[in-house]
């Protein structure tokens, strides 16, 4: 990593918890490789402090932007002064550019990153029946990207059925050719099973779905990057499933994230 000086440009990743993030390592390696005097640091911001934190970001003239992670991806939408068309469509942000006048411009790259990570590992979601655990910001971005990628069916399962129904209704309107349903904890009958919740990040977390219903013909994927193998992935491997780790989603969007933060808005 480059030496930090008074001319170093700042970037951050904001979430709560924050110990699990891998973006600082990836972005800082990229900055060093590009010869750019910029650094990204993690910032732990609780939900109650998010609005004040956003106000503070606006005042930092040497700040280029922030990566937004759990649990702020939906809430940060209302704190942005403008959104990319994709972020407005999805209703979530995971990347924010601080414009020279202090305004915050939000974008969403999670969906592109996740599908890119799948394809990079030889998994094409086109024509697949997909089960998604969770209905938050990551789930929304990923399900929209799966619709764009040609998934045949998408099932949303969430602890709050109302939230799952809301996302399902949006997907049906956006992708009339995709069979969209609200499901239970049972992931059987799907080709691709994705955990888009935070369950698995902490030791002792409950599984996000009924792993006993997994079958060897399924691909089970995570968005969680740390631990590398969550309890769900371990259970899926034990059931004979092909597993897909969370890190490819980040790796496939790192350059897009850096470019979004370091370039002026069009």
């Amino acid at each position: 990593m480059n030496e930090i000086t008074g001319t170093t440009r700042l970037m951050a990743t904001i979430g709560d918890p924050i110990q699990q993030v891998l973006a600082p390592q990836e972005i800082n390696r990229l900055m060093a490789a590009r010869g750019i005097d910029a650094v990204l640091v993690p910032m732990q911001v609780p939900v109650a402090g998010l609005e004040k934190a956003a106000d503070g970001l606006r005042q930092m003239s040497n700040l280029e932007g922030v990566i937004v992670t759990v649990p702020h991806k939906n809430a940060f939408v209302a704190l942005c002064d403008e959104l990319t068309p994709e972020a407005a469509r999805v209703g979530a942000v995971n990347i924010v550019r601080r414009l020279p006048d202090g305004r915050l411009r939000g974008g969403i790259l999670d969906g592109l990153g996740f599908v890119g990570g799948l394809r990079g590992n030889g998994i094409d979601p086109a024509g697949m029946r997909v089960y998604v655990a969770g209905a938050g910001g990551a789930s929304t971005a990923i399900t929209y990207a799966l619709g764009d990628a040609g998934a045949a069916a998408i099932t949303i399962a969430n602890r709050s059925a109302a939230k799952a129904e809301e996302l399902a209704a949006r997907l049906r309107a956006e992708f009339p050719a995709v069979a969209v349903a609200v499901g239970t904890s049972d992931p059987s009958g799907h080709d691709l099973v994705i955990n888009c919740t935070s369950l698995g990040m902490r030791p002792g977390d409950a599984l996000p779905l009924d792993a006993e219903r997994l079958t060897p013909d399924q691909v089970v994927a995570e968005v969680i990057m740390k631990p590398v193998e969550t309890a769900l992935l371990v259970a899926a491997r034990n059931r004979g499933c092909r597993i897909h780790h969370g890190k490819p989603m980040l790796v496939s969007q790192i350059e897009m994230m850096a470019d979004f933060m370091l370039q002026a808005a069009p």
Side-chain angles (χ1 to χ4, degrees):
M1 192 172 71
N2 296 331
E3 182 181 16
I4 298 173
T5 70
T7 61
T8 302
R9 307 299 295 176
L10 301 181
M11 297 174 285
T13 183
I14 293 179
D16 187 24
I18 202 66
Q19 292 78 15
Q20 80 285 355
V21 296
L22 300 179
Q25 301 94 301
E26 297 293 331
I27 290 285
N28 291 331
R29 274 194 288 266
L30 180 61
M31 293 301 97
R34 289 185 177 183
I36 296 173
D37 185 14
V39 63
L40 185 140
V41 297
M43 295 183 179
Q44 186 161 357
V45 178
V47 171
L50 189 61
E51 185 173 355
K52 288 183 178 179
D55 288 339
L57 297 175
R58 289 186 175 88
Q59 307 307 313
M60 299 172 62
S61 60
N62 64 341
L63 178 77
E64 297 291 344
V66 297
I67 296 170
V68 181
T69 189
V70 176
H72 302 317
K73 294 181 183 184
N74 290 118
F76 215 99
V77 169
L79 302 177
C80 289
D81 300 291
E82 59 181 77
L83 299 170
T84 63
E86 185 63 20
R89 174 193 186 210
V90 170
V93 300
N94 80 317
I95 190 74
V96 175
R97 161 79 178 169
R98 183 194 177 277
L99 301 175
D101 60 4
R103 290 179 300 124
L104 302 178
R105 184 175 195 257
I108 185 73
L109 299 171
D110 271 341
L112 288 173
F114 185 82
V115 170
L118 286 177
R119 288 173 172 160
N121 282 328
I123 302 166
D124 187 351
M128 281 189 166
R129 299 163 296 167
V130 186
Y131 174 98
V132 179
S139 175
T140 304
I142 287 169
T143 52
Y144 269 71
L146 289 167
D148 287 334
I154 299 173
T155 299
I156 309 294
N158 193 61
R159 285 173 291 185
S160 165
K163 198 171 180 182
E165 290 283 1
E166 178 185 358
L167 176 54
R170 291 173 58 194
L171 291 170
R172 291 187 192 105
E174 188 78 22
F175 304 103
V178 179
V180 180
V182 172
T184 66
S185 61
D186 181 0
S188 59
H190 297 83
D191 307 303
L192 174 62
V193 177
I194 309 168
N195 176 34
C196 288
T197 76
S198 61
L199 291 173
M201 198 177 291
R202 301 173 181 85
D205 276 353
L207 290 175
L209 51 88
D210 184 357
E212 294 297 314
R213 305 289 294 180
L214 294 171
T215 52
D217 59 326
Q218 293 175 310
V219 177
V220 178
E222 269 286 5
V223 299
I224 292 171
M225 298 172 212
K226 191 176 180 180
V228 174
E229 289 207 358
T230 60
L232 173 63
L233 291 185
V234 171
R237 191 192 293 279
N238 290 339
R239 301 282 297 176
C241 303
R242 179 178 178 179
I243 65 170
H244 179 78
H245 297 101
K247 190 174 180 180
M249 179 176 78
L250 174 66
V251 171
S252 66
Q253 61 180 306
I254 279 294
E255 294 210 9
M256 292 186 289
M257 286 177 158
D259 290 342
F260 191 98
M261 289 186 286
L262 293 170
Q263 293 176 5

